[in-house]
Amino acid sequence: MKTQIELSRAGKISRLVSKIAKQEKIPAKTLAKLVACGQVVIPTNVRRNVEKPCGIGKMLSVKVNANIGTSTEKPSVVDELNKLKMAMRFGADTVMDLSIGGDLKKIRNLILQKSIIPVGTVPIYEAAINAEKRYGNFLKMNRDDILDVISEQAEDGVDFFTLHSGITRKNLNLLAKSKRKLGIVSRGGAILANWMRKNKKENPLYELFDEILKIIKRFDITISLGDGLRPGSVLDATDRPQLSELKLLGHLARRAKKNGVQVMIEGPGHIPINQIKQNVTLEKKYCNGAPFYVLGPLVTDIGVGFDHIVAAIGSSLAAFNGADFLCFVTPAEHLKLPNAEDIKLGIIASRIAAHSADLARGLKSAWQKDKLMSEARKKRNWDKQIQLSLDPLTIKRIRKKTIPKINDVCTMCGRYCSIKLMQKCLKRA
Amino acid sequence: MKTQIELSRAGKISRLVSKIAKQEKIPAKTLAKLVACGQVVIPTNVRRNVEKPCGIGKMLSVKVNANIGTSTEKPSVVDELNKLKMAMRFGADTVMDLSIGGDLKKIRNLILQKSIIPVGTVPIYEAAINAEKRYGNFLKMNRDDILDVISEQAEDGVDFFTLHSGITRKNLNLLAKSKRKLGIVSRGGAILANWMRKNKKENPLYELFDEILKIIKRFDITISLGDGLRPGSVLDATDRPQLSELKLLGHLARRAKKNGVQVMIEGPGHIPINQIKQNVTLEKKYCNGAPFYVLGPLVTDIGVGFDHIVAAIGSSLAAFNGADFLCFVTPAEHLKLPNAEDIKLGIIASRIAAHSADLARGLKSAWQKDKLMSEARKKRNWDKQIQLSLDPLTIKRIRKKTIPKINDVCTMCGRYCSIKLMQKCLKRA
């Protein structure tokens, strides 16, 4: 079997490339070239036929990922499936199952079964949790435990894996010497760092990288190289540990591509507005233009309860400057496990960021949406405005409750609606 | 009596300049110079002693305005006073009373009485509404009606006036020839354009500008030159009518400053991300560095119901590029009159934008807040995180409901909290 990268390099147009090219309205040959050189990835798994696949990277619309998954507290399969539904309904392009509580395999397989979009996971979570069950402590996890989980999740049909392969002993030493406020804020990163310190060994996801590539390649899974050293405070942004890890991820990305495995790079984190462009530029430089998958970024640390808004600012700016893939952030960030409503708000905020970046990047289909909305607004066609909105049911409900006496305007301006006044004005002229 | 500008030009440090300089932690002499040259304004009215005044402009922290005010539908004084309370509680620096329904004078005076922050209005609203009552039609409003309202509102103690003086016949002709999707979306602009077309006369706020300056100067009120031709769709952004009006506002600003009257410039509107920097740069160029008061900007038209998020993106980017004053946008924008909850969400979104721009602009006091939050996060000091948050009561309520078994972490990661794992990890090392 040849992977998407290998097929594209051989000048073939795969079924997936052809489908995505149509979706994105770009020539299939152009897309195949971008896949071949690793500037676009198409998360997939030969074991699963994703109904709604997507391409991520150069020349394509900005994509959005939603994180779902149980916590160690009261894990509920029903809740997670509801979150999945919510994520798909409000336009997530991919979803990640980050479960760490309950029957992980069962939850994952249900999500894989119900999801019409690509599904990603972080295998080190399950490896750690299995080790807790098996040995009473995740620090006793061994290499085979990790490889076994990767194989099993690959067989199950997961489309992309986050691998925190960049937290090496060298990078941990840099971290120890640095003046970081918030050390490691990546769950996978913290698990690995603890394991490495306890066992005095190198990061297994780094040492076993070639073996992992072999497993992954058989399923044509995409790697998302995790940034375990991402800053968790704007005070830590763009520091040495972060950039040292990013450079290493660039090297690993080259190795993955060389081996025919698609790869994208995860990015920060907490970054103030004035450093966002630099962060995107460095990723593209160090990682040979591999798609950049940013987690926010959050442009301030003080937004607890409203971090979906904080992330919308950072995401739109990152995407405007070239980031390709936005991991949503919900209002529950830094506070609690998100519920279905949080998922909805997170997706909507992230979709706004992606869409506004698409506009700024000149994407024609994005401009068409704003044109239609402005036309509906001019005509005071409320049904059309509702239909074109990001949450039609909610907007319809609000509108229904607040229709004014003059029923084509809204309760903001009433009879002084500027659009209506100008319609008369222009007619008279 | 000398105005703030005149005092500053004479090398005097006014009581207000001294107070604001302390607030902003900059030398009073520096601030006086900025006021003298019109790069900073301090909205004030000799008839009113604002408890919490603010400075707006160069070298100062980014400020936020909240719009409140009745509609023609069921106007309620109680509702508006609640909105005022909400705006002040969540950190608005100024408030504008945009009432167009009910007893306008009574509502305004109650707001002026209860507000500890500067209050702005748009006098053309009351002039039009008075004319409706007096003559049955606002198109019959005459010049004296307008000047009388300005005088009366000045006597009442209003601190800043929005004057749409830039909608001239020339600019309206430019608009008629343009291919705009959404004509005029400014309420004041639409009232004036209709009056001008009907009466075949020049804009009275333009023709009477010098007379208005005389009235305003006696009270030391600040002018906010309104952008009646702001784009109401991203498809109309940065077009000829908008820029022609902006140039004219620059000329009028010079005239105001020459006459000792403080002035700021209102800005768009709907602007895609890639045009925001250009819009700020042009304002600073055309208007000699006068403070820029942006209405959003909204970076896409499709966000109805979530326009506070859309505006947070535009506002933070505008402020990062030099805008000084952000008019909040609520989730009710394009949909209905905002209620108190909408006001709260609008202010919080706008405060996030202002703060993230302050960080990016290197404001020390802003960085201090993020430092404290990160330290509280590291220590998992929840009381401190709640206290430092933008909405402590709400965050406290959510936290209380979701305290996990291990009570110093949150339900997101539970026992796999990266911060807690790393604390142990570093201790062991």
Side-chain angles (χ1 to χ4, degrees):
Chain A
M1 186 214 77
K2 283 203 186 309
T3 63
Q4 293 297 323
I5 285 199
E6 289 170 334
L7 286 169
S8 300
R9 272 192 202 138
K12 302 252 166 67
I13 307 287
S14 72
R15 187 192 57 82
L16 260 178
V17 165
S18 162
K19 186 168 182 172
I20 303 293
K22 265 181 215 152
Q23 266 172 220
E24 301 275 353
K25 296 187 178 96
I26 65 166
K29 273 197 174 174
T30 308
L31 183 59
K33 274 183 196 165
L34 291 166
V35 170
C37 73
Q39 295 191 323
V40 162
V41 298
I42 304 174
T44 185
N45 182 318
V46 291
R47 289 293 165 97
R48 204 167 92 86
N49 196 1
V50 178
E51 204 177 313
K52 234 180 113 184
C54 68
I56 297 162
K58 199 173 174 180
M59 290 183 70
L60 309 186
S61 64
V62 179
K63 302 303 184 299
V64 168
N65 173 72
N67 288 337
I68 60 173
T70 57
S71 178
T72 48
E73 302 276 321
K74 291 187 220 155
S76 153
V77 179
V78 176
D79 285 357
E80 297 312 317
L81 292 179
N82 268 336
K83 291 190 206 169
L84 171 66
K85 258 194 220 163
M86 206 56 123
M88 293 191 294
R89 181 173 147 207
F90 287 95
D93 296 294
T94 65
V95 72
M96 288 191 79
D97 172 18
L98 305 185
S99 291
I100 53 169
D103 185 339
L104 301 188
K105 189 172 172 69
K106 182 182 159 195
I107 295 166
R108 180 174 59 252
N109 281 326
L110 277 168
I111 289 172
L112 283 165
Q113 193 187 314
K114 304 275 185 193
S115 174
I116 63 166
I117 54 182
V119 174
T121 61
V122 185
I124 199 71
Y125 296 168
E126 193 181 8
I129 288 157
N130 286 350
E132 290 256 351
K133 283 186 194 150
R134 209 167 289 160
Y135 318 117
N137 193 332
F138 77 82
L139 297 172
K140 294 186 180 164
M141 163 177 75
N142 64 46
R143 294 172 172 206
D144 284 338
D145 294 332
I146 297 172
L147 292 176
D148 286 351
V149 163
I150 291 176
S151 292
E152 194 179 331
Q153 294 199 4
E155 298 268 1
D156 285 347
V158 173
D159 304 291
F160 61 105
F161 284 148
T162 290
L163 301 177
H164 300 93
S165 304
I167 303 209
T168 54
R169 294 176 92 166
K170 184 190 144 204
N171 284 334
L172 269 189
N173 286 337
L174 271 182
L175 177 70
K177 274 183 251 163
S178 80
K179 287 177 183 171
R180 276 217 174 171
K181 281 280 159 215
L182 265 174
I184 292 178
V185 295
S186 152
R187 205 155 63 178
I191 290 170
L192 285 163
N194 274 267
W195 187 92
M196 290 161 66
R197 286 275 166 140
K198 175 70 179 172
N199 296 288
K200 297 194 170 45
K201 281 189 183 161
E202 186 51 281
N203 178 350
L205 297 181
Y206 175 73
E207 280 208 317
L208 301 172
F209 196 66
D210 289 326
E211 286 179 58
I212 295 170
L213 284 180
K214 270 183 215 158
I215 300 171
I216 282 179
K217 194 182 169 184
R218 290 197 342 256
F219 299 88
D220 204 2
I221 292 169
T222 297
I223 294 178
S224 181
L225 284 169
D227 55 338
L229 293 175
R230 66 174 172 271
S233 161
V234 288
L235 288 100
D236 297 339
T238 329
D239 67 356
R240 273 194 77 194
Q242 182 199 326
L243 295 187
S244 175
E245 182 186 48
L246 181 63
K247 271 188 198 167
L248 179 57
L249 297 185
H251 288 293
L252 295 172
R254 263 187 285 277
R255 238 154 90 190
K257 287 184 216 174
K258 210 175 144 192
N259 282 280
V261 173
Q262 300 190 89
V263 62
M264 54 189 167
I265 309 291
E266 291 184 19
H270 292 236
I271 302 283
I273 290 176
N274 58 314
Q275 293 175 27
I276 288 178
K277 187 178 177 179
Q278 179 197 3
N279 269 268
V280 179
T281 307
L282 288 177
E283 187 273 345
K284 293 292 175 190
K285 183 180 155 192
Y286 292 162
C287 307
N288 263 40
F292 198 21
Y293 175 21
V294 287
L295 315 179
L298 295 168
V299 294
T300 169
D301 304 334
I302 66 162
V304 57
F306 304 91
D307 274 328
H308 60 312
I309 300 177
V310 177
I313 296 172
S315 295
S316 56
L317 201 50
F320 171 53
N321 283 296
D324 308 280
F325 190 24
L326 310 177
C327 187
F328 84 162
V329 173
T330 78
E333 187 76 12
H334 298 117
L335 189 55
K336 66 176 181 83
L337 190 75
N339 59 25
E341 180 67 15
D342 295 319
I343 298 289
K344 174 182 134 175
L345 292 173
I347 286 285
I348 288 176
S350 203
R351 282 249 67 95
I352 288 171
H355 177 75
S356 60
D358 280 339
L359 289 177
R361 286 156 62 148
L363 191 79
K364 274 186 192 167
S365 56
W367 282 91
Q368 184 60 20
K369 286 185 190 171
D370 287 56
K371 185 167 171 270
L372 291 174
M373 181 62 97
S374 289
E375 284 167 0
R377 202 160 267 158
K378 184 168 192 174
K379 290 177 190 157
R380 299 177 306 287
N381 179 340
W382 289 90
D383 290 339
K384 190 82 188 166
Q385 288 177 69
I386 288 164
Q387 182 204 318
L388 292 166
S389 73
L390 296 160
D391 184 6
L393 280 182
T394 304
I395 306 303
K396 191 176 178 177
R397 186 177 49 74
I398 297 173
R399 170 68 187 162
K400 226 174 158 182
K401 272 192 193 165
T402 58
I403 298 176
K405 285 167 249 164
I406 310 167
N407 68 11
D408 63 337
V409 299
C410 87
T411 50
M412 179 76 201
C413 300
R415 52 197 243 60
Y416 292 97
C417 171
S418 60
I419 293 172
K420 191 161 182 173
L421 281 177
M422 286 314 294
Q423 189 186 31
K424 289 182 190 166
C425 179
L426 292 176
K427 273 186 189 159
R428 195 166 46 239
Chain B
M1 187 217 72
K2 284 203 186 311
T3 62
Q4 292 297 323
I5 285 200
E6 289 169 335
L7 286 169
S8 300
R9 271 190 203 139
K12 302 251 166 69
I13 306 287
S14 71
R15 186 190 57 82
L16 260 178
V17 166
S18 162
K19 187 169 182 171
I20 304 293
K22 265 180 216 152
Q23 265 171 220
E24 302 275 352
K25 297 189 177 94
I26 64 166
K29 273 198 174 173
T30 308
L31 182 59
K33 275 183 195 162
L34 291 166
V35 170
C37 74
Q39 294 192 322
V40 163
V41 298
I42 304 174
T44 184
N45 183 317
V46 293
R47 288 295 166 96
R48 203 167 92 85
N49 195 3
V50 178
E51 205 178 312
K52 233 181 113 183
C54 68
I56 297 163
K58 199 172 173 179
M59 291 183 68
L60 310 186
S61 64
V62 178
K63 303 301 184 301
V64 168
N65 173 74
N67 289 336
I68 60 172
T70 57
S71 177
T72 48
E73 304 275 321
K74 292 188 218 154
S76 154
V77 180
V78 176
D79 285 356
E80 297 312 318
L81 291 178
N82 268 337
K83 289 189 207 170
L84 170 65
K85 255 193 222 165
M86 206 57 122
M88 294 191 296
R89 183 175 145 205
F90 286 95
D93 296 294
T94 66
V95 71
M96 290 191 79
D97 172 18
L98 305 185
S99 290
I100 52 169
D103 185 338
L104 300 189
K105 190 173 171 67
K106 183 183 158 195
I107 295 166
R108 180 172 60 252
N109 281 327
L110 277 169
I111 289 172
L112 284 165
Q113 195 188 311
K114 305 274 184 193
S115 174
I116 63 165
I117 54 180
V119 175
T121 62
V122 186
I124 199 71
Y125 295 169
E126 192 179 9
I129 287 157
N130 286 350
E132 289 256 355
K133 284 187 190 148
R134 208 168 288 158
Y135 318 118
N137 192 333
F138 78 80
L139 297 171
K140 293 184 181 164
M141 165 176 74
N142 65 46
R143 293 172 172 207
D144 286 338
D145 294 332
I146 296 172
L147 292 175
D148 287 350
V149 164
I150 290 176
S151 292
E152 195 180 330
Q153 293 199 4
E155 298 268 1
D156 284 346
V158 173
D159 305 291
F160 61 105
F161 284 149
T162 290
L163 300 177
H164 300 93
S165 303
I167 302 211
T168 55
R169 294 175 93 165
K170 184 190 145 208
N171 283 335
L172 269 189
N173 287 338
L174 271 183
L175 177 70
K177 273 183 253 164
S178 79
K179 286 178 184 171
R180 274 217 176 174
K181 280 282 157 212
L182 265 175
I184 292 178
V185 295
S186 151
R187 205 154 65 177
I191 289 170
L192 284 161
N194 275 267
W195 186 93
M196 290 161 66
R197 286 275 166 138
K198 175 69 179 173
N199 296 288
K200 298 193 169 47
K201 280 185 183 163
E202 187 50 283
N203 177 351
L205 297 182
Y206 174 73
E207 280 209 318
L208 300 172
F209 196 67
D210 290 328
E211 287 180 55
I212 295 171
L213 285 181
K214 271 183 214 157
I215 301 171
I216 282 178
K217 193 182 168 182
R218 288 196 345 254
F219 300 87
D220 204 1
I221 291 169
T222 297
I223 294 179
S224 181
L225 285 169
D227 55 337
L229 293 176
R230 68 173 171 270
S233 161
V234 287
L235 288 98
D236 297 340
T238 329
D239 68 356
R240 273 194 74 195
Q242 183 200 327
L243 294 186
S244 175
E245 182 187 47
L246 181 62
K247 272 187 197 167
L248 180 56
L249 297 185
H251 289 294
L252 295 172
R254 265 188 283 276
R255 238 154 90 190
K257 287 183 215 173
K258 209 175 145 192
N259 282 280
V261 173
Q262 300 190 90
V263 62
M264 53 188 165
I265 309 291
E266 291 183 19
H270 291 235
I271 302 282
I273 290 175
N274 58 315
Q275 293 174 28
I276 287 178
K277 187 177 178 179
Q278 179 196 3
N279 269 267
V280 179
T281 307
L282 287 177
E283 187 273 346
K284 293 292 174 190
K285 182 181 156 191
Y286 292 161
C287 307
N288 263 41
F292 198 22
Y293 175 21
V294 287
L295 315 179
L298 295 168
V299 294
T300 169
D301 304 335
I302 65 160
V304 58
F306 304 91
D307 274 327
H308 60 312
I309 299 176
V310 178
I313 296 171
S315 295
S316 56
L317 202 47
F320 170 54
N321 284 295
D324 308 283
F325 190 25
L326 309 177
C327 188
F328 85 162
V329 173
T330 78
E333 186 76 12
H334 298 117
L335 189 54
K336 66 175 182 82
L337 191 73
N339 59 25
E341 180 65 17
D342 295 319
I343 297 289
K344 174 183 134 175
L345 292 174
I347 286 285
I348 288 175
S350 203
R351 282 249 67 96
I352 288 171
H355 177 75
S356 60
D358 280 339
L359 289 178
R361 287 156 61 149
L363 192 78
K364 274 186 193 168
S365 56
W367 281 91
Q368 185 59 21
K369 285 184 191 169
D370 287 54
K371 184 167 172 271
L372 291 174
M373 182 62 97
S374 289
E375 284 166 359
R377 202 160 269 158
K378 183 167 191 175
K379 291 177 190 156
R380 299 177 307 285
N381 180 339
W382 289 89
D383 290 340
K384 189 82 187 167
Q385 288 178 68
I386 287 165
Q387 182 204 319
L388 292 166
S389 75
L390 296 159
D391 184 5
L393 281 182
T394 304
I395 306 303
K396 192 176 178 175
R397 186 177 47 74
I398 297 173
R399 171 66 188 163
K400 226 174 158 181
K401 272 191 197 166
T402 57
I403 298 177
K405 284 167 254 167
I406 309 167
N407 68 11
D408 64 337
V409 300
C410 88
T411 51
M412 181 72 202
C413 300
R415 53 196 245 59
Y416 291 97
C417 170
S418 60
I419 293 173
K420 191 162 181 173
L421 281 179
M422 285 315 292
Q423 190 187 29
K424 289 182 192 167
C425 180
L426 293 176
K427 272 186 189 159
R428 196 167 43 238

